[in-house]
Amino acid sequence: MSGVLIVGASAGGLTVAEMLRAKGYAGQIRLVGQEPHLPYDRPPLSKEVLAGAWPAERVFLRDPARLDALGAEFILGRRAERLDTTARTVDLDDGRTLSYDTLVIATGLSPRRPPFLRDLAGAHTLGADDLGGVHTLRTLDDALALRERLRGARRVAVIGAGVLGCEIAATSRTLGAEVTLVDPLPTVMVRQLGDELGSLVGALHESHGVRVRTGVGVAGLTGAAAGDGSGRDGPGADRLGGGGPAERVGAVELTSGESVPADVVVIAVGSVPATGWLAGSGLSLTDGVECDSHCRAAPGVYAVGDVARWHHELLGTSIRLENRTNATQQAMAVAADIMGDGAPYTPIPYFWTDQYDVKLQIHGHIPPGARLRPLDGEPGSGRFAALAEVDGVPTAAIGWNHPRGVRLARGHVTDALRSMTSGT
C-alpha cells in the first residue's frame, strides 16, 4: 500500500494528516512541501511577523515533537513537477517518483505577476535580491526579507488594495513609514467588501496617514538614480527592466502621470492557484483544481485550501476560497471522506482581517450592489455589527470590532441560505 500523499505542507495539508490519524488511519502519510520549513501559519506574516512583534518561530503550527508523534514523513524543500493519475504517481524535482493510493493537493497559491514587471530581465521571483526593494509576501522567507527592508525605510508603496495589500500598508504605516496604497479599482478591498464597506476601510487608512490612490493603475517602476540615497527618482534614473544601471527601485509611475517615490515597493495584486505542475494530468484546472461537492477531483484525488474549487451544494455553484479558516475546515472534511465518513462540504464563507486597531470579520459574501443594514452601532463609529443585503435578503454578516455582534448576525445569513435552498 502506498498510503496517503499530501502535496502541500501548510495548514491544510497538516490538518488532513492530523485528522486522518485522529480517525484511526494507520497507513503511510507523506507530506511534500516546496519550502524548507515545517508547517507554519500564514495570516501572521503580514501583521505580527512583519511588524517584528513575533519571532519567526512563533508561526510554526506544531513543535517537532508533536510532528514526530504524527508518524508522517515530511519531504521538505522539494517541488512536485508532474502528476500521473493513471499510474497514481507524483514526480518531484529531485528525480524521485512517489506513489499513492490517495492524493491530496494542497499547494495553495502563487503571487500574480503584474504586466509592468513581465519584461524585467532575469526576475524569476519577486524579491529584494532580484529587483532591489521590490517584494511580494507569500512565504515566511518573504515576510522576513520584507521586514528587514522596512527597517529604516521612509517611503513604502503598496500596489494592490486587497486584504493582503491593506494589511501590509497598515503594518508599514504602524512602523512609521510614509505609505501610498495604489489600486486600479475604485475602492479599497472592493472585491471582498463591496463599495460601502470598502470605503470605510479606505477612510481608516487615510485617517492613519496613508495616501490612498484608487482608480489608477501602475505604468511601471523607475529605478533610483545612481548614488541617490533618498530613493527618489532623478536625473540618470532608469525604468527597471530597460537595461539601464538602476539596481533598486526609486518610484512607482502611475497611469495618471503621478510619480510616487518609494524606497520599498510591495506587489500585492492577487494570486493564482498553484496548479502548473498538474498540466497534462487530466484534472480540470479552471481557476483551481475543480472538485465535486466532496472535494474530489478524480478517483483517489482530493484538493483542499486555496487551490481547491469545489461544488457548494447549498449555493448551487462552484467556489474557491482563499482564507485560513477554509483551509482547515476543508481539510477536516476531506480527511473524513477518505475515511469513508464524508459529506458534501457546505461552509458559510468566512474571513477576517486585522488592520490598525480594527478587527473586521465577514461571514458570507458581499456581492456588488449590496447595502449595509446596521444591527448594533453605526458604520464609521468604530464598533458595529451589520448585515449586507441584496433586495432585503442577508448575504453576509459583518463585525467591525464586534465579535459577539457578528456571531449573532451570522444566524440571519444561515437562515436566509436555508430558506433559499428549501424554497420557502
Side-chain angles (χ1 to χ4, degrees), residues 351-386:
F351 80 92
W352 83 96
T353 178
D354 296 322
Q355 299 175 36
Y356 307 107
D357 56 351
V358 171
K359 177 177 284 294
L360 178 59
Q361 298 169 283
I362 309 291
H363 294 269
H365 172 62
I366 305 177
R371 303 292 299 174
L372 299 188
R373 178 163 70 88
L375 299 177
D376 186 11
E378 290 295 326
S381 65
R383 181 178 181 270
F384 69 90

Side-chain angles (χ1 to χ4, degrees), residues 224-316:
D228 179 5
S230 70
R232 285 188 183 277
D233 186 23
D238 294 272
R239 180 65 60 88
L240 290 177
E247 296 180 354
R248 58 185 175 83
V249 71
V252 178
E253 306 298 334
L254 304 185
T255 55
S256 63
E258 181 182 359
S259 181
V260 178
D263 315 313
V264 176
V265 173
V266 187
I267 311 292
V269 294
S271 302
V272 294
T275 58
W277 67 284
L278 297 170
S281 66
L283 300 183
S284 182
L285 303 175
T286 303
D287 187 31
V289 179
E290 292 194 27
C291 302
D292 64 14
S293 61
H294 289 245
C295 306
R296 291 182 299 239
V301 179
Y302 294 82
V304 303
D306 299 346
V307 76
R309 173 173 289 278
W310 85 100
H311 181 73
H312 194 299
E313 289 193 356
L314 292 183
L315 298 177

Side-chain angles (χ1 to χ4, degrees), residues 387-404:
L387 293 173
E389 296 182 335
V390 175
D391 297 329
V393 178
T395 64
I398 300 159
W400 184 293
N401 283 337
H402 204 329
R404 180 177 180 274

Side-chain angles (χ1 to χ4, degrees), residues 183-254:
D183 199 290
L185 296 178
T187 308
V188 163
M189 288 181 64
V190 67
R191 286 195 176 99
Q192 297 84 16
L193 303 180
D195 292 323
E196 193 171 354
L197 190 56
S199 294
L200 292 178
V201 175
L204 172 69
H205 280 270
E206 290 178 331
S207 73
H208 283 81
V210 172
R211 299 170 68 237
V212 178
R213 296 291 183 267
T214 51
V216 63
V218 174
L221 305 181
T222 302
D228 179 5
S230 70
R232 285 188 183 277
D233 186 23
D238 294 272
R239 180 65 60 88
L240 290 177
E247 296 180 354
R248 58 185 175 83
V249 71
V252 178
E253 306 298 334
L254 304 185

